[in-house]
Coordinates of all heavy atoms in Angstrom, one line a residue:
Chain A
A156 N 52.6 -43.9 -67.7 CA 53.3 -45.2 -68.0 C 52.4 -46.1 -68.8 O 52.8 -46.7 -69.8 CB 53.7 -45.9 -66.7
Y157 N 51.2 -46.2 -68.4 CA 50.2 -47.0 -69.2 C 50.1 -46.5 -70.6 O 50.1 -47.2 -71.6 CB 48.8 -47.0 -68.5 CG 47.7 -47.6 -69.3 CD1 47.5 -49.0 -69.4 CD2 46.8 -46.7 -70.0 CE1 46.5 -49.5 -70.1 CE2 45.8 -47.2 -70.7 CZ 45.7 -48.7 -70.8 OH 44.6 -49.2 -71.6
E158 N 49.9 -45.2 -70.7 CA 49.7 -44.5 -72.0 C 50.9 -44.8 -72.9 O 50.8 -45.2 -74.1 CB 49.6 -43.0 -71.8 CG 49.2 -42.2 -73.1 CD 49.4 -40.7 -72.9 OE1 50.2 -40.3 -72.1 OE2 48.6 -40.0 -73.5
F159 N 52.2 -44.6 -72.4 CA 53.4 -44.8 -73.2 C 53.4 -46.2 -73.6 O 53.8 -46.5 -74.7 CB 54.6 -44.4 -72.4 CG 54.9 -42.9 -72.2 CD1 53.9 -42.0 -72.6 CD2 56.1 -42.5 -71.9 CE1 54.1 -40.6 -72.6 CE2 56.4 -41.1 -71.8 CZ 55.3 -40.2 -72.1
T160 N 53.1 -47.2 -72.7 CA 53.3 -48.6 -73.1 C 52.3 -48.9 -74.2 O 52.6 -49.6 -75.2 CB 53.0 -49.6 -71.9 OG1 53.0 -48.8 -70.7 CG2 54.0 -50.6 -71.8
S161 N 51.1 -48.4 -74.1 CA 50.1 -48.8 -75.1 C 50.4 -48.2 -76.4 O 50.3 -48.8 -77.5 CB 48.7 -48.5 -74.6 OG 48.6 -47.1 -74.5
F162 N 51.0 -47.0 -76.4 CA 51.5 -46.4 -77.7 C 52.6 -47.2 -78.3 O 52.6 -47.5 -79.5 CB 52.1 -45.0 -77.4 CG 51.1 -43.9 -77.2 CD1 49.7 -44.3 -77.0 CD2 51.4 -42.6 -77.1 CE1 48.7 -43.3 -76.7 CE2 50.4 -41.6 -76.9 CZ 49.1 -42.0 -76.7
V163 N 53.5 -47.7 -77.5 CA 54.6 -48.5 -78.1 C 54.0 -49.8 -78.7 O 54.4 -50.2 -79.7 CB 55.6 -48.9 -77.0 CG1 56.6 -49.9 -77.5 CG2 56.3 -47.6 -76.6
H164 N 53.0 -50.4 -78.0 CA 52.3 -51.6 -78.6 C 51.6 -51.2 -79.9 O 51.5 -52.1 -80.8 CB 51.3 -52.1 -77.6 CG 51.9 -52.9 -76.5 ND1 52.8 -54.0 -76.7 CD2 51.8 -52.7 -75.1 CE1 53.2 -54.4 -75.6 NE2 52.7 -53.7 -74.6
E165 N 51.1 -50.0 -80.0 CA 50.5 -49.6 -81.3 C 51.5 -49.2 -82.4 O 51.1 -48.8 -83.4 CB 49.5 -48.6 -81.1 CG 48.2 -49.1 -80.4 CD 47.4 -48.0 -79.7 OE1 47.3 -46.9 -80.3 OE2 46.8 -48.2 -78.7
G166 N 52.8 -49.4 -82.0 CA 53.8 -49.0 -83.0 C 54.3 -47.6 -83.0 O 55.0 -47.2 -83.9
L167 N 54.1 -46.9 -81.9 CA 54.6 -45.5 -81.9 C 55.7 -45.5 -80.8 O 55.4 -45.6 -79.6 CB 53.5 -44.5 -81.5 CG 54.0 -43.1 -81.5 CD1 54.2 -42.5 -82.9 CD2 53.1 -42.2 -80.7
T168 N 57.0 -45.2 -81.2 CA 58.0 -45.0 -80.2 C 58.6 -43.6 -80.5 O 58.2 -42.9 -81.4 CB 59.1 -46.1 -80.4 OG1 59.8 -45.8 -81.6 CG2 58.6 -47.5 -80.4
I169 N 59.5 -43.3 -79.7 CA 60.2 -42.0 -79.8 C 60.9 -41.9 -81.2 O 61.3 -40.8 -81.6 CB 61.1 -41.7 -78.7 CG1 61.4 -40.2 -78.4 CG2 62.4 -42.5 -78.7 CD1 62.0 -39.8 -77.1
R170 N 61.2 -43.1 -81.8 CA 62.0 -43.0 -83.0 C 61.1 -43.2 -84.3 O 61.6 -43.1 -85.4 CB 63.0 -44.2 -83.1 CG 63.9 -44.2 -82.0 CD 64.7 -45.5 -82.0 NE 65.8 -45.5 -81.0 CZ 66.9 -46.1 -81.1 NH1 67.1 -46.9 -82.1 NH2 67.8 -46.1 -80.1
T171 N 59.8 -43.4 -84.1 CA 58.9 -43.8 -85.3 C 58.8 -42.6 -86.3 O 59.0 -42.8 -87.4 CB 57.6 -44.2 -84.8 OG1 57.7 -45.2 -83.8 CG2 56.7 -44.7 -85.9
N172 N 58.3 -41.5 -85.8 CA 58.1 -40.3 -86.7 C 58.2 -39.0 -85.8 O 58.5 -39.0 -84.6 CB 56.7 -40.4 -87.3 CG 55.6 -40.6 -86.3 OD1 55.8 -40.4 -85.1 ND2 54.4 -41.0 -86.7
L173 N 58.1 -37.9 -86.5 CA 58.2 -36.7 -85.8 C 57.2 -36.5 -84.7 O 57.5 -35.9 -83.7 CB 58.0 -35.5 -86.8 CG 59.2 -35.2 -87.8 CD1 58.8 -34.1 -88.8 CD2 60.4 -35.0 -87.0

Side-chain angles (χ1 to χ4, degrees):
Chain A
Y157 169 79
E158 184 192 31
F159 280 16
T160 347
S161 65
F162 284 10
V163 171
H164 282 305
E165 285 164 35
L167 183 77
T168 69
I169 200 167
R170 301 172 173 206
T171 308
N172 53 17
L173 287 178

